[in-house]
Amino acid sequence: MNGKPVDPGMLDVVRELADSLGPTLVAALTGNRVRLSADDWVMEDGPEPDENEAERLRCALEQWNLLAQAENPDTARAWFVGANPMLQDESPVTAIREGRFEEVRRAARSYMDQEFPG
Protein backbone atom coordinates (compact mmCIF):
# COMPACT_ATOMS: atom_id res chain seq x y z
CA MET A 1 0.00 0.00 0.00
CA ASN A 2 1.48 3.36 -1.03
CA GLY A 3 -0.46 5.48 1.45
CA LYS A 4 -2.64 7.04 -1.23
CA PRO A 5 -6.41 6.71 -0.91
CA VAL A 6 -8.07 4.18 -3.17
CA ASP A 7 -9.16 5.98 -6.32
CA PRO A 8 -12.78 5.24 -7.20
CA GLY A 9 -13.40 4.04 -10.72
CA MET A 10 -13.87 6.80 -13.24
CA LEU A 11 -17.43 5.70 -13.92
CA ASP A 12 -18.25 6.22 -10.23
CA VAL A 13 -16.45 9.58 -10.20
CA VAL A 14 -18.44 10.86 -13.16
CA ARG A 15 -21.73 9.49 -11.82
CA GLU A 16 -21.29 11.13 -8.44
CA LEU A 17 -20.31 14.47 -9.96
CA ALA A 18 -23.10 14.35 -12.54
CA ASP A 19 -25.62 13.59 -9.80
CA SER A 20 -24.22 16.35 -7.58
CA LEU A 21 -23.27 19.12 -10.00
CA GLY A 22 -25.14 18.12 -13.15
CA PRO A 23 -23.73 17.03 -16.51
CA THR A 24 -23.33 20.60 -17.81
CA LEU A 25 -20.99 21.60 -14.97
CA VAL A 26 -19.13 18.29 -15.26
CA ALA A 27 -18.47 19.00 -18.93
CA ALA A 28 -17.52 22.61 -18.11
CA LEU A 29 -14.98 21.72 -15.45
CA THR A 30 -13.25 19.26 -17.78
CA GLY A 31 -13.06 21.79 -20.58
CA ASN A 32 -15.12 19.52 -22.78
CA ARG A 33 -17.38 21.62 -24.96
CA VAL A 34 -19.86 18.81 -25.54
CA ARG A 35 -22.42 18.63 -22.71
CA LEU A 36 -23.35 15.10 -23.66
CA SER A 37 -19.85 13.86 -22.86
CA ALA A 38 -20.74 13.67 -19.16
CA ASP A 39 -23.88 11.74 -20.03
CA ASP A 40 -21.84 9.43 -22.26
CA TRP A 41 -19.18 8.88 -19.57
CA VAL A 42 -21.75 7.48 -17.12
CA MET A 43 -22.83 4.71 -19.49
CA GLU A 44 -21.39 1.28 -18.67
CA ASP A 45 -19.97 0.78 -22.18
CA GLY A 46 -19.51 4.47 -22.95
CA PRO A 47 -16.29 6.32 -23.61
CA GLU A 48 -13.99 7.31 -20.76
CA PRO A 49 -12.61 10.77 -20.09
CA ASP A 50 -9.06 11.28 -21.29
CA GLU A 51 -6.21 11.58 -18.76
CA ASN A 52 -6.49 15.36 -18.37
CA GLU A 53 -10.27 15.25 -18.02
CA ALA A 54 -9.97 12.44 -15.47
CA GLU A 55 -7.52 14.48 -13.39
CA ARG A 56 -9.95 17.41 -13.36
CA LEU A 57 -12.83 15.12 -12.42
CA ARG A 58 -10.88 13.59 -9.53
CA CYS A 59 -9.97 17.03 -8.20
CA ALA A 60 -13.60 18.15 -8.46
CA LEU A 61 -14.86 15.05 -6.66
CA GLU A 62 -12.29 15.51 -3.90
CA GLN A 63 -13.52 19.08 -3.30
CA TRP A 64 -17.18 18.08 -3.64
CA ASN A 65 -16.77 15.39 -0.97
CA LEU A 66 -15.00 17.81 1.36
CA LEU A 67 -17.65 20.51 1.00
CA ALA A 68 -20.74 18.31 0.82
CA GLN A 69 -19.82 16.59 4.08
CA ALA A 70 -19.78 19.93 5.90
CA GLU A 71 -22.39 21.87 3.95
CA ASN A 72 -25.67 21.08 2.26
CA PRO A 73 -25.49 20.17 -1.44
CA ASP A 74 -26.87 23.54 -2.60
CA THR A 75 -24.15 25.42 -0.71
CA ALA A 76 -21.45 23.08 -2.02
CA ARG A 77 -22.75 23.53 -5.59
CA ALA A 78 -22.82 27.32 -5.16
CA TRP A 79 -19.17 27.22 -4.05
CA PHE A 80 -18.21 25.52 -7.32
CA VAL A 81 -19.85 28.15 -9.53
CA GLY A 82 -19.37 31.31 -7.49
CA ALA A 83 -16.59 33.87 -7.83
CA ASN A 84 -13.90 32.96 -5.31
CA PRO A 85 -11.51 35.59 -3.92
CA MET A 86 -8.80 32.95 -3.45
CA LEU A 87 -9.00 32.16 -7.18
CA GLN A 88 -8.71 35.74 -8.45
CA ASP A 89 -12.52 35.96 -8.35
CA GLU A 90 -12.91 33.09 -10.80
CA SER A 91 -15.09 30.10 -10.01
CA PRO A 92 -13.61 26.79 -8.85
CA VAL A 93 -15.09 25.24 -12.02
CA THR A 94 -12.95 27.60 -14.12
CA ALA A 95 -9.85 27.00 -11.99
CA ILE A 96 -10.25 23.21 -12.20
CA ARG A 97 -10.71 23.45 -15.97
CA GLU A 98 -7.45 25.44 -16.12
CA GLY A 99 -5.63 22.77 -14.07
CA ARG A 100 -5.11 24.96 -10.99
CA PHE A 101 -5.72 22.06 -8.64
CA GLU A 102 -3.60 23.17 -5.69
CA GLU A 103 -5.20 26.62 -5.74
CA VAL A 104 -8.64 24.99 -5.72
CA ARG A 105 -7.65 22.72 -2.84
CA ARG A 106 -6.40 25.72 -0.85
CA ALA A 107 -9.60 27.62 -1.62
CA ALA A 108 -11.76 24.71 -0.45
CA ARG A 109 -9.74 24.30 2.75
CA SER A 110 -9.93 28.03 3.34
CA TYR A 111 -13.70 27.94 2.88
CA MET A 112 -13.95 25.05 5.29
CA ASP A 113 -11.82 26.98 7.80
CA GLN A 114 -14.04 30.03 7.20
CA GLU A 115 -11.02 32.20 6.37
CA PHE A 116 -12.99 34.32 3.94
CA PRO A 117 -16.63 35.42 3.80
CA GLY A 118 -19.00 33.80 1.32
Side-chain angles (χ1 to χ4, degrees), residues 44 64 67 79 85-86 91 104:
E44 289 291 335
W64 173 261
L67 294 164
W79 182 86
M86 295 203 58
S91 73
V104 172

Side-chain angles (χ1 to χ4, degrees), residues 26-86:
V26 171
L29 68 85
T30 64
N32 194 315
R33 298 188 196 286
V34 181
R35 179 199 167 275
L36 294 178
S37 61
D39 292 330
D40 293 340
W41 291 335
V42 298
M43 296 181 347
E44 289 291 335
D45 293 327
E48 288 192 19
D50 68 29
E51 186 177 317
N52 291 326
E53 292 165 336
E55 186 176 17
R56 291 177 181 108
L57 292 166
R58 285 186 199 100
C59 178
L61 182 61
E62 176 186 315
Q63 304 331 301
W64 173 261
N65 287 335
L66 177 72
L67 294 164
Q69 288 175 5
E71 301 285 351
N72 66 59
D74 291 335
T75 300
R77 194 174 304 106
W79 182 86
F80 270 86
V81 298
N84 189 304
M86 295 203 58

